[in-house]
Amino acid sequence: MTTETKTETRGFETEAKQLLHLMIHSLYSNKEIFLRELISNASDAADKLRFEALSKPELLSEDNPLEVRIEVDSENKTISISDNGIGMSRDEVITNLGTIAKSGTAQFLESLTGDQKKDSKLIGQFGVGFYSAFIVADEVEVLTRRAGTNADEATVWRSKGEAEYSIAPAEKAEVGTTITLHLKKDEAEFADQWRLRSIVKKYADHIAIPVLMEKQQAPGADDDAEEKDAATHEKEFEPVNDAKALWTRPRSDVKDEEYKEFYKYVSHDFEDPLQWSHNKVEGKLEYTSLLYIPARAPFDLWNRDAARGLKLYVQRVFIMDDAEQFLPLYLRFIKGVVDSNDISLNVSREILQKDPVVDSMRSALTKRALDMLEKLHKKDKAAYNKFWKQFGQVLKEGPGEDFANKDKIAGLLQFTTTASEGDEQDQSLADYVGRMQEGQKKIYYLTSESLKSARISPHLEIFRKKGIEVILMHDRIDEWLMSHLQEFDGKQFQDIARGELDLGDLEKEEEKEKKEESEKEFKALVERIKDQLKDRVKEVRLTHRLTDSPACLAIDDHDIGLQMRKIMEASGQALPETKPIFEINPDHPLVQRLDKEADEDRFADLVSVMFGQAELAEGGQLDDPGEFSAHLNKLLLQLTQ
Ligand code: ADP
């Protein structure tokens, strides 16, 4: 049977097809990245072979050192990228190059907008990998032989990047993979040694194995030598990079550009990182870490199964991607590399989970990551705000997850407050504390469904009148966050919709006296309202937190708030019913009118409408809309009579 007869044509998986199409059309302004992606894959393949050779040393040989070769054929307009790494079996070729194994791919495709500019950013976050070859090539051939298999067990894969690919058995003398790109007519510029060399240099400098290209004659060099080369067809190759793992180099040697490129390599991100931190630790534990804060959240930040964690090396040998044991979940957006001298080379994920060395490293790396955020927060507020927009909600998981670093994390939180100019969460707790009034002992906050409903909350009235700043929390996680934060900088937090209002020293003596007086004056009214609302409320009482509204709802000190209730109910927990406290404003004309209302029917109408309004002002729903409308309509009819 000839090879030809065994050629099989297969269709791409639908998702791969969609992604291919999209990528080719949205990434053309950033074409040269195909080289970065293919060199990265080649280098990963070398890493994987080195790893496999830990248990099968025969897979590596001294006279065949791991390397990547890039060759250009300017006549036929092809580029080939060869590695002598792990290679792929036929089945691996089918799964790796015919499908997209990433979790959340369908979800990602759904999130696309059709706007090319926006989509190209998204696709950058998604990571295009191997398929980026089709940005410049109209045909791609992959010839590959898995390490540990024979020369006649190789596979060749070909595709024009449209709907299908072909796959056939092949022969390959060496283990590894050669990818040949047949350049599109318009992309022939890439089939130029010098042009390619400069791109390779840019993307290969941080790669830990040599990336070789054909040695070039300097212009005007010895013509005889050229003739001799041509005669023997013996090509000479030389490394274009310095082939040293970037994190092993001293910090002072590494340029910012190199750090940025390396980030793109480890994270598959297209954008530059916001910040990085490169450290070598010596002493009881020895390791090097290079941590990055990305500028943009990956599309699957909220996907529980999404890959996260650092790339783990042990004594410079690649061990695994996405080692999630080195950082807590709330720092899952951090990317980077950790290279340890204390972990055993044959470590597995299960062993990592139990290794005390990993625990110590995890605490140190967590601290390192938080320090890096602190530094960004102090030095570059604009960049920090950018970070916050992308990852703030994740960091808010921190105080609940990491007791030891609670205070440190609290210092990194940002919120919108009544003093914010716009809607951004750009005020830190330290900013707030710095603006506290004389006599103010607490940090006041309010949680609400949205910023809009927070801003119009009646609970703010007294604070506005007295010019006291209030933090307006409106992220879903905020109430949960606040259940883990009791104080900041020695100042307690106070939810202004919870419990009785106590402004402490911010309240004047005469205000306190007035309060006592009205307590007496309206005692009977409070009782009457209680009789009216019965078990719809936990309590009815006077309040002094209102200036404009007649009434509002408060929650009892230890009751579960609305946001928290929603989160818990969504996670399937049954919660006991909690009832609000109905608070009325003795200074409001409606309340005073109510006090004088002798007609019980009319009294019931007014109370019902006031209660309904208070429910709505909380951003909540009416607990009995029918009852509310009936009473309101009765009042309206009286108006028209
Ligand atoms: P990613 O690298 O993000 O996983 P790619 O689309 O770039 O995605 O590659 C898909 C898979 O194909 C890789 O995960 C790897 O298993 C395999 N692969 C790609 N290039 C090579 C190569 N040169 N050698 C061996 N395997 C490769």
Side-chain angles (χ1 to χ4, degrees), residues 37-38 40-46 48 81 83 85-88 92-93 95-97 99-100 102 126-132 142 144 176-179 268:
E37 301 294 315
L38 298 180
S40 294
N41 280 348
S43 156
D44 288 348
K48 286 179 195 160
I81 296 116
D83 64 68
I86 190 86
M88 285 177 270
E92 283 167 335
V93 170
T95 17
N96 292 337
L97 308 184
T99 60
I100 297 177
K102 256 180 231 175
F126 183 77
V128 288
F130 169 77
Y131 291 129
S132 61
V142 180
T144 184
T177 304
T178 294
I179 297 181
H268 299 283

Side-chain angles (χ1 to χ4, degrees), residues 2 14 65 98 125 173 218 221 372 377 453 472 567:
T2 65
T14 335
Q125 285 161 262
M372 171 165 58
H377 194 214
S453 66
L472 305 174
I567 296 180

Side-chain angles (χ1 to χ4, degrees), residues 473-486:
M473 302 193 182
H474 54 276
D475 278 342
R476 230 173 161 210
I477 191 175
D478 285 336
E479 212 169 294
W480 186 81
L481 164 71
M482 295 315 289
S483 69
H484 295 279
L485 285 181
Q486 282 72 41

